[in-house]
Structures are given as structure tokens and as C-alpha cells.
Amino acid sequence: MKNLRTKGKSTIVWILMGLLVLGLGGFGVTSFSGGSSEIGSVGATKVTADDYARALRSELSAYSQQAGQLFTMAQARAIGLPQMIQAQLFTAAALEEETRRIGISVGDQRVAQTISKAPAFQGPNGQFDRSAYSQILRREGLSEADFEEQIRTDEARMLLQRAVSEGVVAPEAMVDQTAGWLLETRDFSWHEVKADDLETPVSDPDEETLKAWHEANADRFTAPEKRKLSYVWLTPEMLSDEVDLDENALRAAYEERIDQYRQPERRIVGRLVFPSMEEAQAARERLDSGDITFDELVAERGLTVDDIDLGEVTREDLGQAADAVFALEAPGIAGPAQTDLGPALISMNAILEAVDIPFEQAREDLRAEAALDRASRMIDDRMGEYEDLLASGATLEEMSEETPMELGKLDWSSDMEPGEGSIAGYPAFRERAGEISENDFPQIERLDDGGIFAIRLDEVVPPTLRPFDEIRDEVAADWRAAEVHRLLLAHAEEDRVNLISAETPDPNAVDTEEDEDTNATTSPAAQEEPADGTEETVAAVDPHLQWNTETGLTRDGWIEALPPALITEVFDIDAMGDIEIVDADDRVFLVRLDAVHAADLDSEDAVQVQDRVRQRLAQSLQADIFEYYARAAQSKAKVEVNQSAIDAINAQVQ
């Protein structure tokens, strides 16, 4: 039996949260006691068929709500959901068997407390509702005695889990090492090797070279599978011209949206309220003198711009402050003025002119929108007729002759870029086009704009290498890009070797007495710093090699216009002064590590990071220890699995 971590998953979670919150009404629990009453056991502890069915239905319901559509048993099997639930149930049974063996239990008071605090059993006043408790258990086919015994068992398991793992803490050395690794910063320099750095331009290849490249890189020049499709479709836009709308209907629609077509003049404002008019006036004087900005004034009061934002307002909305705000002819500060909340300075950020669109001007827009809505309803009304035609054997060609649906053909591939107005732009069509087989009969499917379509697969053209003569220019461009990239890497390697050689002392040189004295007095700290004269060394190797420098880079840092892989490489370099080549996003860089700065673990930020690291490490260690304990308990007890009962439940839960 596969063992998995329980991660705190318990009977309480499954029963209360799964069944009572997610599963009620959507998935009723059927008793499986008519067949085998259990799917297995661990020692003397049984794993019942009802427990498995209940947990499985609860998880299916949760997945369905998360996905926004029905999550089927076939999909559950594809992700291994039944096996995960079985592993959790058998692990829970092993722990229950362990609590029984060593005599761990909880009293009635603890059981009552757990049940009374469950949200599913609380009434409108937030208190335990006895009638709701009885009704829910009855609906789920559970007796109060059985349910309360399950709660007792689960609480005992949780007590065992806490006893095993709660005392585990992360070693401080591990915390410090992890936090230090996370907070370490580095200084580095980089130089991008570009095509301009190459001494000679890349020559044009001959035909034989290009043909060989075409064959050697066939995967780059192979057209994806193509599906030759026939389809019929109908959208509300296609029918909109056929829709007749009377004047009264359009005027009614106009009146329903009058707030959209007629709006008074408005302002977008923020309001900063003060305790008194004197304080508001003093703040205004500071603004006028230039001592402070309005945003700084907001921050000074412990607020943000979002906190004071009122959005769009009319004169009526502003009350007594309206005249001051609307007197401004451009964005600025009004006031101090009296408002409903007291004296305030008001930041007027934008002017929105009044809107007055008469019916005659809005008529065409109203007609177009209403026509689309009416056409969509017409399509809904006719869907049954179209489905009957297909079911009776009508071809797509016949459908286009007998209905308003339009016939089309398309060579579809997964990477195609649909043209404007193409049916291939609809997600529903693309999904169906990718999965349909030649044995599937056309059927009516929906588009997301209210339209419909039916599709037929006429032929599948397998992936095919495109002929060289048709794509010669594309092959040449690909070869040239690869060749330039190869030469850039070679040039970077040459520069790297030259830089290392220029900075490496000659082993055959005889140290003078002065050199010995100098070496003897050089501190280790000084040896860690980059050698003076680095730029002179670079210039001697390659006068065009220019370094860009960044200091204090963190592991999660980024530099605009540089690929993330370069940042990763900086923190993989072992020693200061080392130079590495980074090949990322088809760009080539030389990267030099200049300095490594250890984290200051006494800083305020570092203390917060250490706290989070300590918590995460402790949780991980606790989970690991409890997993080992659960595995040992499962290994010690005899595990039996009734696969036929499991298969029967899986077949019924759909």
C-alpha cells in the first residue's frame, strides 16, 4: 500500500468541510453496505466502504468547485486521486490502531467542544444549532453516535500527532546557515559579447552547407500535424441583420441605461481630513510654501493615497466642498474646506466632463447590441432543430443549404495564428479541433459569444519536413544565427582564457626580497578584494572589453534587460575574481564575481527572515518525523486491502 503524508488531513476535515460545506446536495452519500462493508483494515481497525466513498465524493466536489465545472471520476483517476485518498485513509487507520494499542482517547467534553465549534452546525446567531446538527447527519446517513465516535477517534489521532511532532524545533545552526544563504549579497561585473566584437563577419554559406543544416535540424523545419477540417457555424453577428427591433424597444433600452448616456460633470478626488480647521490651514500653508508635497502630507498622517481616494464624485457628492473643488480648472489642491467628516484638503486629480448622449446618437449602438442579444436567443431557439438534422444524418454541406449556418474549410494546426474573424480564434473550436477523430460524427457545440458550430475531420496530415527549396531563406537565417552564436561563445572563451592568463602570476618568475616582504604584510582581507588594475588588465587583453558593474545583488534580485540565468550564475560562482561564460536567451556574457558580502543576521530584516526560516524548517522536520512514525505504525500492523470493494465504489462514484 502506498504511504503518503497525511498533512493534517483528518476525518474532521473530510466530514465537516468536505461533506457539510462542499458536498451537500451535489453528491449524496450512498451506503455501500449492500456489498462489502470495508475496503481494508490495519490490524483491528477497519477502513469502511462508506468512509472511502464519502472522502472520494467530497474530494470530487472540491475539485469541481475549484475548476468551475464537473470533475469526473475519469479525471480523478488520471491524477491518481483515488490512490491518494486510499493512502490517507489507511494511514489514518494505522494511527487509529496505534492510539487503540497504547490507550490514547479523549473525553466527551472534548468531543462536544469540537462539534459545537464546527461552522456547519452553527445557526444564524453563530451558536450551535441542534436541529441543524441532526438534520445534516440524517441527510448524510450518519447516526449521532457513529459521528461522535468518529470525532473522538480523530481527536485521539491528532493528540498522538501533536505528541510525536510538536516538540521538534529546527537547529539554530541550520536556521542561521539557511538565512545566511538567502540574504547573502554579491558584487559582480559583466560584459556582453556581441556580433560587433567578432573580428570578421560571418560569410555566406554554400548550398551544400545549408542543405546539410536543413537535414541535421529537421525538427526545426518540420511542419506540425495538420488537420483538414470542414465546419459549419452560426454567430449572433451573422443573424443581426435579420433582426427587426421596434423604436419602443430601443427607447426602453436607452432609458434602462440612462446613467451611461447622461452623467453630470465629475471630478476624481482624494480627501485628507484633519481634526480641526486650524490644522488643515497649517497643512495648506506648508503645501503652498513648498515645504512638503501632498503625498508626503498623506504619509505623515499614517495613510496612503488609496486610503483617501474617493474616485469619481459629483457636486452633490462633495456637499460643502463642491464649490472649492469645482472651481479648479486643472488638477490641484482645494481647501481647506468643510466636509461631512470635518475640515479637509482635497486633491483634485482629474476633470471628467459632463456626458449627454441623446437617444438619436445612441440609437445605432443600442440597435447593434440589442440585435446581437436577440440573435443569440434565436440561435438558442433553433439549436434543437439543428441537432435533429445532424442526428438524422444530414451532412455539413446539407446543413449549410438548409439552415443559416455557414460552411467553411480549414487546415488547422496547434500553432496556427488565426486570422481576424476566423472561427479558429474561438477556444471551444480550437479545443474540439485538437481532439476530434475521423470516426466522430459532427455535433452542435457552443461558442463563447452565443454562437454554435459543428465540425468534421476530413484528413490528418502527419508532421512533415518542409522542402528545402520552399524555406531556403529560413534555413539560411537559422544557420547564420547558430553560427554567430557559436563564434560568440568561442570569442568569449578566448577572452576568458586571456583574462585568466593575464591575472595569473608567472610560476617561473623569481620572487624578489621586496615581493616577499609585500606578500608577508598583505592581510587576508586584502587578498579577498579584486586586484587593483583589473580594468588595465582588461584593456590590455581586449581594448573593446567594457565591464558593467552591479553591487549588493540579492538572490532574488533582477537587472533590467539581463536574463535571469545570468543572476543565477553569479551565485553559482565559487571564488571572487573567477570569470564564467553565461549563455542565456541566445546571448553570451562574461561574468566576473567581484565580492561576496555575508548577511548581517542581526539586522531587523534578517531577524524576520530567520523567524520564517525557523518556522518552515520546524514544520518540515515535524512533518518528516510524523511521516516516519506513521509509516512505522503501518508497517507494524497488518494491512489488508479489499481491491474488489474499491473497484466497486470507483465504478459507482461518477
Side-chain angles (χ1 to χ4, degrees):
M1 182 67 199
K2 182 180 179 181
N3 291 311
L4 296 176
R5 295 187 184 182
T6 63
K7 295 185 179 178
K9 176 74 80 170
S10 65
T11 303
I12 292 177
V13 176
W14 279 332
I15 294 176
L16 296 183
M17 300 306 294
L19 295 174
L20 306 180
V21 178
L22 299 174
L24 294 181
F27 296 92
V29 176
T30 302
S31 174
F32 289 84
S33 57
S36 176
S37 61
E38 59 192 56
I39 65 168
S41 62
V42 181
T45 302
K46 309 296 184 184
V47 180
T48 69
D50 281 347
D51 285 342
Y52 176 54
R54 186 177 293 115
L56 183 56
R57 291 183 188 275
S58 178
E59 290 294 331
L60 287 173
S61 177
Y63 273 88
S64 295
Q65 288 208 352
Q66 184 178 358
Q69 60 184 15
L70 181 64
F71 190 79
T72 66
M73 190 62 188
Q75 292 171 304
R77 288 193 184 96
I79 65 171
L81 184 61
Q83 290 79 10
M84 288 192 294
I85 294 173
Q86 293 161 32
Q88 291 165 344
L89 286 171
F90 276 91
T91 299
L95 295 174
E96 182 179 343
E97 177 70 7
E98 188 72 0
T99 62
R100 185 193 63 78
R101 186 184 66 82
I102 61 181
I104 295 178
S105 184
V106 297
D108 293 342
Q109 184 177 358
R110 178 62 181 173
V111 174
Q113 184 181 19
T114 299
I115 293 175
S116 64
K117 289 184 177 180
F121 301 140
Q122 293 176 359
N125 60 357
Q127 301 298 316
F128 176 72
D129 188 329
R130 176 72 192 188
S131 61
Y133 175 62
S134 300
Q135 182 181 3
I136 290 172
L137 293 187
R138 186 167 55 254
R139 185 187 305 168
E140 298 305 322
L142 292 169
S143 69
E144 292 186 13
D146 289 341
F147 180 71
E148 289 163 9
E149 185 58 32
Q150 288 178 345
I151 297 298
R152 190 187 309 277
T153 299
D154 193 70
E155 286 292 334
R157 284 202 301 264
M158 297 300 291
L159 186 63
L160 176 63
Q161 179 174 349
R162 289 192 292 270
V164 170
S165 60
E166 263 193 3
V168 178
V169 296
E172 284 303 307
M174 182 185 295
V175 173
D176 291 344
Q177 183 177 11
T178 304
W181 183 86
L182 289 171
L183 297 174
E184 173 191 291
T185 63
R186 295 190 171 197
D187 302 343
F188 77 102
S189 300
W190 79 91
H191 166 74
E192 182 172 3
V193 184
K194 300 182 178 180
D196 294 342
D197 297 330
L198 300 178
E199 296 179 358
T200 58
V202 177
S203 58
D204 293 331
D206 55 32
E207 291 298 297
E208 292 304 318
T209 299
L210 290 181
K211 288 180 179 179
W213 185 259
H214 175 253
E215 293 178 4
N217 299 276
D219 57 319
R220 301 189 195 180
F221 308 113
T222 296
E225 175 187 275
K226 283 189 178 180
R227 305 184 134 222
K228 294 185 177 295
L229 305 172
S230 295
Y231 63 90
V232 288
W233 67 322
L234 182 63
T235 66
E237 189 173 359
M238 294 177 185
L239 287 179
S240 60
D241 292 339
E242 301 179 16
V243 175
D244 292 326
L245 297 171
D246 59 37
E247 195 77 1
N248 291 334
L250 293 178
R251 286 191 178 276
Y254 177 78
E255 292 301 328
E256 288 176 1
R257 305 179 187 180
I258 194 65
D259 291 342
Q260 175 182 338
Y261 296 111
R262 290 184 180 174
Q263 297 180 18
E265 185 178 359
R266 291 146 294 144
R267 299 288 188 269
I268 297 179
V269 302
R271 177 180 60 191
L272 182 60
V273 180
F274 291 85
S276 67
M277 183 61 75
E278 290 74 16
E279 291 184 56
Q281 184 60 47
R284 179 62 196 243
E285 292 172 0
R286 294 173 65 196
L287 284 174
D288 293 341
S289 66
D291 291 341
I292 195 170
T293 66
F294 186 78
D295 288 350
E296 291 171 343
L297 199 59
V298 172
E300 192 177 80
R301 296 184 58 79
L303 301 171
T304 67
V305 175
D306 290 338
D307 293 332
I308 68 168
D309 182 42
L310 297 182
E312 298 180 17
V313 296
T314 63
R315 276 184 171 273
E316 184 178 349
D317 296 328
L318 287 173
Q320 299 179 56
D323 290 340
V325 173
F326 277 78
L328 296 175
E329 297 180 355
I333 307 299
Q338 196 62 240
T339 70
D340 294 341
L341 298 180
L345 292 178
I346 300 175
S347 172
M348 195 273 284
N349 303 314
I351 298 174
L352 302 178
E353 301 294 342
V355 176
D356 187 6
I357 302 175
F359 170 75
E360 290 72 21
Q361 185 177 342
R363 187 181 187 284
E364 287 306 313
D365 289 341
L366 285 169
R367 187 197 180 284
E369 188 171 341
L372 288 175
D373 183 63
R374 181 76 60 84
S376 180
R377 292 198 298 271
M378 290 170 60
I379 291 174
D380 287 341
D381 294 340
R382 298 178 185 177
M383 270 193 64
E385 173 190 341
Y386 302 156
E387 289 172 339
D388 290 343
L389 282 172
L390 285 175
S392 65
T395 65
L396 298 185
E397 289 74 13
E398 291 169 340
M399 290 286 291
S400 67
E401 295 172 358
E402 299 179 26
T403 73
M405 301 187 78
E406 296 181 3
L407 179 68
K409 292 185 178 294
L410 181 69
D411 289 347
W412 183 87
S413 63
S414 58
D415 65 344
M416 73 176 297
E417 292 290 335
E420 185 176 356
S422 169
I423 191 174
Y426 289 89
F429 180 87
R430 293 198 300 271
E431 181 178 354
R432 183 62 180 150
E435 66 186 16
I436 191 172
S437 72
E438 292 180 280
N439 296 324
D440 290 339
F441 291 101
Q443 56 185 358
I444 298 296
E445 317 243 8
R446 284 196 173 275
L447 298 171
D448 55 16
D449 63 353
I452 57 175
F453 73 98
I455 188 173
R456 181 184 69 217
L457 177 60
D458 297 326
E459 182 185 357
V460 176
V461 180
T464 306
L465 180 63
R466 292 179 289 170
F468 172 78
D469 293 338
E470 294 181 7
I471 57 169
R472 183 194 179 283
D473 292 344
E474 183 179 337
V475 174
D478 188 74
W479 177 90
R480 177 175 293 276
E483 182 66 10
V484 168
H485 192 71
R486 183 187 69 81
L487 293 175
L488 290 178
L489 287 171
H491 191 282
E493 180 60 32
E494 182 180 351
D495 281 343
R496 177 176 177 272
V497 170
N498 290 338
L499 286 167
I500 293 173
S501 299
E503 295 178 1
T504 301
D506 185 352
N508 296 320
V510 178
D511 291 339
T512 64
E513 187 173 336
E514 180 180 353
D515 290 335
E516 292 175 355
D517 293 338
T518 301
N519 290 335
T521 58
T522 301
S523 67
Q527 293 175 11
E528 290 183 356
E529 293 298 324
D532 292 338
T534 299
E535 297 302 331
E536 288 76 4
T537 301
V538 170
V541 174
D542 186 341
H544 302 294
L545 200 61
Q546 297 180 347
W547 294 94
N548 301 283
T549 299
E550 181 73 17
T551 59
L553 181 72
T554 59
R555 288 185 184 274
D556 60 351
W558 65 280
I559 300 174
E560 189 174 358
L562 289 185
L566 186 144
I567 309 300
T568 302
E569 180 64 28
V570 169
F571 283 89
D572 286 341
I573 299 177
D574 294 327
M576 287 184 289
D578 281 0
I579 299 173
E580 300 293 344
I581 297 173
V582 177
D583 180 6
D585 297 345
D586 295 325
R587 298 166 67 185
V588 178
F589 299 86
L590 287 170
V591 178
R592 183 186 68 217
L593 179 62
D594 296 332
V596 177
H597 304 290
D600 178 8
L601 296 182
D602 295 327
S603 68
E604 183 177 347
D605 290 343
V607 170
Q608 294 178 359
V609 171
Q610 285 174 299
D611 288 341
R612 291 195 294 269
V613 168
R614 186 178 293 107
Q615 183 179 9
R616 293 291 297 273
L617 287 175
Q619 290 173 347
S620 179
L621 290 171
Q622 289 169 2
D624 288 341
I625 288 175
F626 187 71
E627 179 184 359
Y628 298 145
Y629 183 87
R631 286 182 178 180
Q634 203 168 11
S635 299
K636 183 166 51 179
K638 183 179 180 182
V639 177
E640 295 183 353
V641 179
N642 186 345
Q643 189 61 47
S644 61
I646 292 174
D647 294 340
I649 296 173
N650 290 344
Q652 293 184 49
V653 178
Q654 298 294 340

